Amino acid sequence: MKPRTEISMQLYQMMVERGYPENLCELVTRNLNTDYTATRMIGYLSHYSFLPEREVVDEMLAILSERDAIMRKKEAEHAQQKINELYRFGLDIE
């Protein structure tokens, strides 16, 4: 896993201050280790004073699932772009 970002560390601190166990805070921030995913979780937690641990984990999994779907979409778009170029310009075989 890649190192946590500054925003991910802010999420860690926010969760500790709200009374979540450190091992849960560690698990969440190790998985939500990008600015995008950490910001999503901070936004979610900001709407509540305290959530059960199960709901925090469910939201973490939902954020990761959404991130994976976005990544798959971007990969498919890139592949489609290459196919379109192939159709438009053909194979460059000489």
Side-chain angles (χ1 to χ4, degrees):
M1 274 188 214
K2 64 189 250 185
R4 289 180 277 190
T5 66
E6 184 177 324
I7 294 176
S8 186
M9 292 304 297
Q10 290 173 4
L11 172 60
Y12 181 89
Q13 191 60 37
M14 176 187 203
M15 291 181 69
V16 168
E17 288 171 0
R18 290 182 177 211
Y20 291 104
E22 286 192 29
N23 62 345
L24 176 64
C25 301
E26 182 74 21
L27 172 74
V28 169
T29 56
R30 284 282 172 207
N31 284 285
L32 303 180
N33 59 1
T34 66
D35 288 348
Y36 174 77
T37 57
T39 300
R40 289 285 314 273
M41 181 60 89
I42 289 171
Y44 179 73
L45 292 175
S46 295
H47 289 49
Y48 305 96
S49 58
F50 188 83
L51 289 169
E53 293 175 16
R54 182 179 328 132
E55 290 188 34
V56 173
V57 172
D58 284 347
E59 185 62 18
M60 176 190 73
L61 294 173
I63 291 169
L64 291 173
S65 177
E66 178 188 17
R67 183 199 63 191
D68 290 343
I70 291 169
M71 290 173 62
R72 284 192 307 272
K73 180 181 179 226
K74 294 290 182 187
E75 289 172 357
E77 288 172 348
H78 179 73
Q80 187 62 51
Q81 176 189 4
K82 293 298 181 185
I83 290 171
N84 291 344
E85 289 174 6
L86 178 64
Y87 287 150
R88 189 172 301 125
F89 304 114
L91 294 173
D92 192 20
I93 300 175
E94 293 184 26

